[in-house]
Amino acid sequence: MGGDRQSVKTYVPTEQKELWRDHADELDMSLSEFVRTMVQAGRKGFAPVDSGEREEPDSEGADPGGHDLERGVRAALESGPCSWDELVEAVVGDVEDELEATLDDLQERNRVRYSGRDGGYVLTDE
C-alpha cells in the first residue's frame, strides 16, 4: 500500500482552484490534502461537506486532517494477514504521502523551499 507514489495533476478554472484553496485553508489543510480527501470522500459515498448531509466516518478515531489510522490498517489487512512491520510500513507510507503532498503544496505557495545550503526545508519570508 505505501510503496510507489504518483503525482496526479488536474486542470480546473482559476476560480475553482481559489474556492478549493479557501476551503482547504478553512479546514487547515494543504490544497493537495484537501483535494485527495474530497476525492476519497466522494469515492466512499460521502455527501459534499457543504451539503449538510455528510455521512459520519466509520470510526471515532478519524483524524479531521485526513489521516485515518484505522481505515489505513483495515485497507492493508484486506489483502490478508500482515506482520507488525508490514502494517507500520503501510501506515507510514500514508503519512509519507501526506507529507510529500503538503510539502509540494507549501512550495507551490512559496511558503517553504528546499535549501541544500541550510540542510533541508526552510520557511520563506512570506
Side-chain angles (χ1 to χ4, degrees):
M1 182 163 137
D4 294 334
R5 289 180 274 199
Q6 298 285 318
S7 173
V8 176
K9 295 185 185 233
T10 185
Y11 296 91
V12 296
T14 301
E15 302 82 28
Q16 183 69 56
K17 183 177 179 182
E18 290 170 3
L19 287 172
W20 287 355
R21 186 179 308 273
D22 290 345
H23 199 171
D25 288 344
E26 289 172 19
L27 297 172
D28 197 28
M29 299 171 87
S30 70
L31 184 58
S32 296
E33 183 180 19
F34 174 80
V35 171
R36 183 177 54 254
T37 300
M38 291 301 126
V39 168
Q40 287 303 103
R43 292 184 70 231
K44 293 180 193 296
F46 290 106
V49 173
D50 295 330
S51 74
E53 301 174 13
R54 187 170 181 186
E55 185 178 319
E56 290 300 313
D58 298 336
S59 167
E60 293 181 17
D63 177 352
H67 184 72
D68 182 346
L69 184 59
E70 179 180 333
R71 193 167 290 151
V73 169
R74 293 174 61 83
L77 293 172
E78 284 178 359
S79 60
C82 293
S83 69
W84 174 265
D85 290 337
E86 290 168 329
L87 287 173
V88 169
E89 183 177 325
V91 174
V92 169
D94 285 349
V95 173
E96 288 176 347
D97 291 345
E98 290 176 27
L99 175 59
E100 180 178 34
T102 299
L103 284 170
D104 288 347
D105 184 61
L106 288 168
Q107 289 177 92
E108 179 182 307
R109 295 176 15 214
N110 294 320
R111 296 203 173 167
V112 167
R113 66 179 171 80
Y114 183 81
S115 171
R117 176 180 277 174
D118 292 325
Y121 292 94
V122 295
L123 293 173
T124 62
D125 291 335
E126 293 182 27

